[in-house]
Amino acid sequence: MTTTPDVVASDQVSLAVSTVIFALRPHPVTGSTTLWLPLVRRIRETYAGLWALPGGPLEADEDLAASARHTLERTTGLTPGYLEQLYSFGAVDRSPADRVVSIVYWALVRADEDARATDGENVEWVVADEVQGLAFDHDTILGHALDRLRAKITYSPIAFAFLTPEFTLADLRAVHEAVLGRTLDPANFRRQVL
């Protein structure tokens, strides 16, 4: 017969909220529009000095979406119109110091919102597809967010979150091309959209 050991106080599970923020900016080498995101440099252990997605512990008096919005504003100065819960990550070993479950949101930023972004001392915007070696399991989280965005743009109107209220069909196609990372035939794209 097996028994389950009693849970002790040190076996607590902490909740965190992280955010993947996507904006469209020119690639530094090719100049083509591509996906960018801000990362924050960790200034304390665990993983001090490594880059990570913006986030932090869930405060007792804050709901999940409010926590994600607070993190966005604190790290980048952004208050994007599009914020959606992406996924929960809770592998037992995702944090070496303690047990942490992270609720991850993603934000899509329009060009006019992106123009108001501020860079902090430990914040750097990078090309999303060129990121590797993030702290914790943030490489996995970023990969999941990219896969989800690329899938969702093919069947939903999510591309509009990157655009101002008035845009051309060419603008919409450019968003699709930037997210998917490939050129689309203008005539076929027009038929699909209409």
Side-chain angles (χ1 to χ4, degrees):
M1 178 157 125
T2 354
T3 60
T4 307
D6 293 332
V7 176
V8 293
S10 63
D11 292 334
Q12 298 280 330
V13 175
S14 300
L15 290 176
V17 176
S18 297
T19 308
V20 181
I21 308 159
F22 289 125
L24 297 176
R25 294 179 172 187
H27 190 279
V29 176
T30 67
S32 61
T33 303
T34 190
L35 286 167
W36 288 68
L37 77 154
L39 297 174
V40 294
R41 186 188 317 270
R42 295 203 33 93
I43 56 173
R44 61 184 183 279
E45 292 299 335
T46 308
Y47 298 115
L50 289 182
W51 293 99
L53 297 168
L58 177 64
E59 300 297 331
D61 63 344
E62 211 167 30
D63 69 24
L64 293 170
S67 180
R69 287 187 189 287
H70 179 242
T71 298
L72 282 169
E73 193 168 1
R74 185 183 71 243
T75 57
T76 65
L78 293 171
T79 54
Y82 186 91
L83 181 70
E84 178 185 355
Q85 192 174 121
L86 174 66
Y87 201 73
S88 300
F89 292 83
V92 174
D93 61 348
R94 67 179 301 270
S95 175
D98 52 3
R99 177 81 165 97
V100 179
V101 173
S102 188
I103 313 302
V104 179
Y105 280 76
W106 61 344
L108 306 182
V109 179
R110 295 187 321 259
D112 60 326
E113 293 171 327
D114 187 26
R116 295 190 301 265
T118 56
D119 291 332
E121 182 180 331
N122 290 306
V123 176
E124 184 174 318
W125 285 78
V126 296
V127 176
D129 284 309
E130 298 175 3
V131 174
Q132 289 182 2
L134 297 178
F136 305 104
D137 58 351
H138 291 190
D139 286 329
T140 301
I141 293 171
L142 176 56
H144 185 82
L146 286 167
D147 290 346
R148 180 76 176 120
L149 177 60
R150 288 179 174 139
K152 194 167 183 174
I153 203 167
T154 64
Y155 67 84
S156 80
I158 197 168
F160 298 132
F162 287 111
L163 296 164
T164 56
E166 292 186 20
F167 58 88
T168 66
L169 192 56
D171 294 335
L172 183 60
R173 189 180 77 246
V175 169
H176 280 257
E177 290 176 340
V179 169
L180 295 171
R182 59 185 163 86
T183 304
L184 300 173
D185 177 69
N188 285 339
F189 181 77
R190 181 180 175 83
R191 276 192 298 277
Q192 288 173 341
V193 167
L194 295 177

